[in-house]
Amino acid sequence: MFKSTLLALATSLILGTTAQAAPEQIDLLTENFPPYNMAADGKNFARDQNIRGIAADIIREMFQRAGIDYTLTLRFPWERIYKMALETPGYGVFVTARLPEREELFKWVGPIGPDDWVLLARGDSTIEVDSLEQARQYRIGAYKGDAIAEHLVAQGLQPTLALRDQINVEKLQSGAIDLWATGDPAGRFLAKQQGVSGLKRVLRFDSAELFLALNRQVSDETVEKLQAALDQMRADGTINTITGRYF
């Protein structure tokens, strides 16, 4: 009887511990993609408070309101961190376009912000196009692994791919490429950081909403808490306030 009582007590304690297990922590990954996320010192590695930007600030507030623990790391290149979030339980990556071909790969929280897909030229350029088909004759630079680059390839174009989008600013200025396929406002903000302004928008060929993409193993409860917190932030004006800090 005594042994049975002890066994029952031990079982109860184990089950109780399991039931009260600590909520999951999410390890968040991002890249230099101003003005949405960027290292304070401009380098390709940063942690926690050394990461700034519209999305980084929104993510912090969202996780705080949802009561979910997280870590925040900025790394390079994008392909690497995207793959980590895709394959590693408990990981997420932001910001990334929520595209039909990616829909079942992640669990999504958002939208966090808009991203127009554009072709930019130098301010003195005379290039005018009405479609990607017309742009095919020009040398187009894009960011390797980015949704925009993938879209161009899917449309049958052959953009020159750079490991960092900043390189495309340099290529555009030097004449190595004629057009830069990038996001707006991200591209203009990035160019401004490098002292380049007055770029000409030649074509807006698509747009996407940017999201936090979470590994499929993240619980639905966590996703729902985060989405509710983000919706609340949008309703009470917090997102507009955060965005206003950067423009």
Side-chain angles (χ1 to χ4, degrees), residues 178-196:
D178 304 309
L179 298 169
W180 175 24
T182 187
D184 196 2
R188 292 180 185 276
F189 191 94
L190 187 60
K192 184 178 179 181
Q193 280 191 316
Q194 296 187 238
V196 176

Side-chain angles (χ1 to χ4, degrees), residues 58-118:
I58 290 174
I59 289 289
R60 288 190 183 95
E61 178 68 18
M62 180 172 66
F63 272 77
Q64 180 179 343
R65 292 192 185 194
I68 297 170
D69 291 334
Y70 68 97
T71 65
L72 191 56
T73 305
L74 182 147
R75 293 183 182 274
F76 171 83
W78 170 255
E79 286 182 305
R80 175 188 176 191
I81 63 174
Y82 179 91
K83 187 172 186 289
M84 286 178 66
L86 179 64
E87 298 177 352
T88 313
Y91 272 72
V93 65
F94 72 93
V95 286
T96 188
R98 185 174 182 174
L99 304 176
E101 57 269 30
R102 294 176 173 176
E103 185 65 30
E104 300 304 320
L105 300 179
F106 296 96
K107 293 184 179 180
W108 302 90
V109 179
I112 293 174
D115 188 34
D116 282 346
W117 293 3
V118 299

Side-chain angles (χ1 to χ4, degrees), residues 42-61:
K43 296 182 179 179
N44 284 321
F45 179 81
R47 296 291 302 271
D48 301 320
Q49 296 305 314
N50 292 317
I51 301 170
R52 57 189 298 265
I54 296 170
D57 291 351
I58 290 174
I59 289 289
R60 288 190 183 95
E61 178 68 18

Side-chain angles (χ1 to χ4, degrees), residues 211-242:
F211 280 70
L212 164 63
L214 297 170
N215 182 270
R216 294 290 301 175
Q217 297 301 315
V218 173
S219 72
D220 290 340
E221 180 183 4
T222 292
V223 176
E224 290 166 4
K225 286 182 178 179
L226 290 170
Q227 186 64 59
L230 183 62
D231 291 344
Q232 182 187 62
M233 290 167 61
R234 181 168 287 108
D236 66 21
T238 301
I239 289 180
N240 287 338
T241 298
I242 290 173

Side-chain angles (χ1 to χ4, degrees), residues 141-160:
Y143 178 25
K144 185 178 181 181
D146 184 54
I148 295 175
E150 293 173 357
H151 179 80
L152 293 179
V153 172
Q155 296 299 311
L157 280 74
Q158 297 180 324
T160 300

